[in-house]
Amino acid sequence: MTVLERPDALLRQIQSLHAQQAELADLSQRLIVEFAGDLPAGQVLACVTRCTHHLVRNGVRAGLASTTEAMARSRLTAQLLRA
């Protein structure tokens, strides 16, 4: 039986993806505020996007937001130290 044959499973999957996107949006906003004055917002967003893409491409699903945060925070801090 496919997901399309089970509307309840499809709905749960959509809700899960929506919640994940909301977590990533909150993360982006927090990091933009945290690095404001040191790094441009676009640079922070690009870093979060790259980290998320890298993790998803490598199969990370559970804990995506927290793993993305750790990875992005590390990369952004390294950029500050190089400047």
Side-chain angles (χ1 to χ4, degrees):
M1 186 175 283
T2 68
V3 173
L4 294 177
E5 294 169 342
R6 297 186 52 215
D8 56 325
L10 179 59
L11 181 59
R12 280 195 303 277
Q13 187 175 13
I14 290 170
Q15 289 170 333
S16 174
L17 289 172
H18 181 68
Q20 188 177 67
Q21 290 299 319
E23 285 182 64
L24 290 169
D26 285 346
L27 165 63
S28 296
Q29 186 61 39
R30 282 195 319 272
L31 290 177
I32 287 170
V33 169
E34 183 176 331
F35 287 93
D38 295 321
L39 295 171
Q43 191 171 347
V44 174
L45 285 173
C47 182
V48 171
T49 301
R50 282 192 306 271
C51 291
T52 302
H53 177 73
H54 175 78
L55 292 167
V56 168
R57 188 179 64 224
N58 286 289
V60 174
R61 296 295 184 271
L64 181 62
S66 61
T67 309
T68 299
E69 180 174 7
M71 188 177 193
R73 189 178 300 281
S74 174
R75 289 181 178 188
L76 293 167
T77 301
Q79 288 177 18
L80 285 176
L81 294 175
R82 278 183 270 160

